[in-house]
Amino acid sequence: MKQQQYKLKDVSQGDIHDYDSILKYFNDKPAVQNKKSTYHSITFVTTGIIEYDGGQTTMLHLGTLLSQKGYDVYYLSYVPQSQKEMEHNAEANYENYQGTCLSFDKLDTHESDIWFATLWESAYVIKNKPGYKMYFVQDYEPYFYPYGDRYQLAQKSYNLGLHMISLGPWCAKMIEKNCTQYGKIDQITFPVDLVNYPYKKRNFDNYGTKKTFDLAVYTKWDSPRRAPINLQMVLKNTQKLLEIEDGIRFRIHYFGSTKDKQFINGENLGKLSKSEMNELYKKCDFGIAPSMTNFSLVPFEMMSTGLPFIDFTEGTGKFFIPENCRFNVHMDEKELANLFMTVKENVDVLKNNNEKTQQFLQTIQWSHTLNDFVKIIENI
């Protein structure tokens, strides 16, 4: 029987040639740590540098602070990307960053006192290099993949003997829960950038009479961790409930995805710069930014400007934000609709939330994160 030709194809997940350039680094040999009395150079080994990437923005911010503390800081790509492109994208992510970008051709010749893996693949790349090997864990990366070989390779990266630093408590908890033989793990404060997202006082009394709410909604079309499908469904159904029962409408302003993506409601603003995000937060009434795995920078940036933040119980916000600093609901249109009615009927809830939020944010600034980080390095 002749096989029929169809356009639909399986999702490609099994191409080993994705790793051709670094295949020689993949083995089960555990890391051997080479300690020193003092450490001067720190190298973050990264998947190149990509514009509008939150994890790499955090890396660049941290690297800049470490550079200002006197460390020689490098960002070394383990994928082919020119130094010029790395520098351009680094500047776009974190203006006036400090540290030196190094392209893929320096991977086998560069020397460093401390090496930092930044993704599970780079844990294999650095584990047998001379020096002290660490792992900046910004998410529980097995969850990036369906259950299978990449899931298992990512999970095994926590067992290679690298000294791990978890950004916030959630990654550490997930590793401790799911891995039987994980390496040394510390955690640092998940920080807020108060300087670049300044506070703007709001007139919350106006919320009681509003018939239209502007929502700043962060999601990534290609990232299930930001719940793009469920989020659009819930907002669409919530809007129907509120319009029918109370005549309340939404103006939804999505951002974080490329401009070509077509959302089922609202407008797609695309990927925004810091100044564009600040302007958006100023004109909106609520912020929404789902985090199904480790937290995002965006909720703290919203909260820093004074924008009330709606969090979902299904995500990880409870590990990072006190209960009285967020508006917590399930991803359920009835609960979300009830939240809007509650704050309209009692605007003091908004005022109290805002006051508590601004107090809390003072305790998680970048200075706290830097102190945590430096203390770990100094105590190696």
Side-chain angles (χ1 to χ4, degrees), residues 96-138:
N96 299 320
Y97 77 95
Q98 294 183 22
T100 303
C101 293
L102 298 174
S103 57
F104 173 74
D105 58 295
K106 305 293 193 303
L107 188 58
D108 286 337
T109 58
H110 179 67
E111 296 180 357
S112 186
D113 295 336
I114 296 176
W115 298 87
F116 266 101
T118 57
L119 185 74
W120 70 266
E121 297 163 355
S122 55
Y124 290 90
V125 171
I126 72 166
K127 68 185 178 69
N128 299 131
K129 287 185 174 294
Y132 194 73
K133 278 76 68 176
M134 304 186 78
Y135 193 165
F136 187 29
V137 182
Q138 297 193 63

Side-chain angles (χ1 to χ4, degrees), residues 332-344:
D332 175 284
E333 61 258 27
K334 290 183 180 178
E335 282 199 25
L336 188 55
N338 286 338
L339 170 63
F340 281 92
M341 295 309 304
T342 298
V343 298
K344 276 179 64 64

Side-chain angles (χ1 to χ4, degrees), residues 44-260:
F44 293 91
V45 180
T46 178
T47 51
I49 296 182
I50 308 163
E51 280 189 285
Y52 303 104
D53 186 279
Q56 292 185 344
T57 299
T58 300
M59 174 191 73
L60 291 163
H61 196 152
L62 180 58
T64 298
L65 295 176
L66 291 168
S67 181
Q68 292 169 353
K69 288 284 287 186
Y71 291 96
D72 298 325
V73 176
Y74 301 90
Y75 313 102
L76 174 58
S77 177
Y78 69 89
V79 299
Q81 185 184 33
S82 70
Q83 183 176 347
K84 184 176 181 180
E85 185 179 353
M86 291 180 70
E87 291 169 347
H88 174 272
N89 292 348
E91 188 68 26
N93 284 340
Y94 192 70
E95 191 176 2
N96 299 320
Y97 77 95
Q98 294 183 22
T100 303
C101 293
L102 298 174
S103 57
F104 173 74
D105 58 295
K106 305 293 193 303
L107 188 58
D108 286 337
T109 58
H110 179 67
E111 296 180 357
S112 186
D113 295 336
I114 296 176
W115 298 87
F116 266 101
T118 57
L119 185 74
W120 70 266
E121 297 163 355
S122 55
Y124 290 90
V125 171
I126 72 166
K127 68 185 178 69
N128 299 131
K129 287 185 174 294
Y132 194 73
K133 278 76 68 176
M134 304 186 78
Y135 193 165
F136 187 29
V137 182
Q138 297 193 63
D139 214 325
Y140 184 67
E141 292 172 5
Y143 281 175
F144 289 11
Y145 309 98
Y147 188 77
D149 54 0
R150 292 196 196 196
Y151 180 105
Q152 290 160 352
L153 282 165
Q155 190 173 62
K156 192 164 68 172
S157 70
Y158 306 127
N159 302 337
L160 297 175
L162 279 65
H163 181 170
M164 294 177 283
I165 297 182
S166 169
L167 183 63
W170 185 79
C171 295
K173 289 180 184 293
M174 292 301 293
I175 292 169
E176 291 165 355
K177 176 183 176 182
N178 295 300
C179 303
T180 55
Q181 295 180 334
Y182 54 89
K184 179 177 175 59
I185 185 165
D186 291 303
Q187 59 180 274
I188 59 175
T189 302
F190 197 113
V192 60
D193 185 356
L194 296 178
V195 175
N196 285 304
Y197 296 91
Y199 178 73
K200 177 183 179 292
K201 189 174 182 180
R202 296 167 186 272
N203 185 353
F204 289 118
D205 289 325
N206 288 342
Y207 281 58
T209 57
K210 278 182 178 291
K211 284 295 183 181
T212 300
F213 286 97
D214 282 280
L215 308 181
V217 181
Y218 173 75
T219 189
K220 285 189 173 182
W221 193 272
D222 298 319
S223 176
R225 293 173 287 143
R226 304 295 169 225
I229 295 173
N230 203 0
L231 182 60
Q232 291 176 76
M233 291 177 177
V234 168
L235 289 176
K236 184 178 178 66
N237 292 336
T238 303
Q239 174 69 89
K240 284 181 180 178
L241 283 177
L242 288 173
E243 276 193 293
I244 292 169
E245 296 180 11
D246 303 286
I248 296 171
R249 299 186 63 199
F250 288 161
R251 283 194 293 259
I252 304 172
H253 311 280
Y254 290 104
F255 68 103
S257 302
T258 54
K259 285 279 286 183
D260 61 303

